[in-house]
Amino acid sequence: DVKVTQSSRYLVKRTGEKVFLECVQDMDHENMFWYRQDPGLGLRLIYFSYDVKMKEKGDIPEGYSVSREKKERFSLILESASTNQTSMYLCASSGQPGYNEQFFGPGTRLTVL
Amino acid sequence: GQQLNQSPQSMFIQEGEDVSMNCTSSSIFNTWLWYKQEPGEGPVLLIALYKAGELTSNGRLTAQFGITRKDSFLNISASIPSDVGIYFCAGQLRFHNTDKLIFGTGTRLQVFP
């Protein structure tokens, strides 16, 4: 059974803190993605990676960075958390092009106070 | 960033009713996908459409890829309580060696017994 896991389901942080969100997939997938989900806005792509140490900006990368040191792990970093980064964060992975399905983790609900 | 227009934003229906939702874009896509997100979970793929005009069914779900390649719809027949969730359309773009998805804003479905 395919699996994408995220390190926390719920997280509460203070403004200015550095925040790490971790994602691990066990499907040996090349591609990994970070989205944020907000009501009425759907899922918006923050960053993605198509190989180890490779990363590409998505549609809303400002205020975020990512790290992919190992194929199975993709980390999202908020260098200095702000209240407007309060959101649901979803990680996904997919295999080679042509296999379009992205498999999602359960999400991390982050609240920044 | 690019987003897809999805409607309606929410639906409250009685069990047994049919449901219809659609998605439009200003851009052409070569693949349309429909995902469902249940409460507390990440989105899961329901149907993938690969050809303009294609009509595909998955149980009580039917989806069509518009002829113009700029729209898609999803129908659910004879709804049941477990259909509750948020439904997202997504259009696929190829970027480097990755299938990047652009998601719609979502349709929240509530089914009353």
Side-chain angles (χ1 to χ4, degrees), chain A residues 25-66:
Chain A
Q25 50 97 2
D26 65 359
M27 296 165 281
D28 200 36
H29 280 167
E30 285 72 22
N31 308 304
M32 296 188 74
F33 307 82
W34 274 107
Y35 296 88
R36 65 177 280 176
Q37 179 180 6
D38 300 287
L41 297 178
L43 277 68
R44 292 179 293 164
L45 183 63
I46 304 171
Y47 267 97
F48 65 100
S49 167
Y50 53 89
D51 202 351
V52 175
K53 297 196 187 294
M54 305 305 290
K55 58 186 178 184
E56 290 290 340
K57 291 179 180 178
D59 298 317
I60 51 164
E62 297 78 20
Y64 304 94
S65 62
V66 290

Side-chain angles (χ1 to χ4, degrees), chain A residues 3 8 11 15 19 37 41 44 46 50 52 55 63 65-66 68-69 73 79-80 83 89 91 97 100-101 104 112:
Chain A
K3 208 145 174 85
S8 307
L11 213 50
T15 301
V19 181
Q37 179 180 6
L41 297 178
R44 292 179 293 164
I46 304 171
Y50 53 89
V52 175
K55 58 186 178 184
S65 62
V66 290
R68 191 149 179 221
E69 296 296 318
R73 189 178 296 269
E79 293 289 341
S80 177
T83 54
Y89 289 88
C91 174
N100 300 311
E101 182 168 6
F104 283 84
V112 182

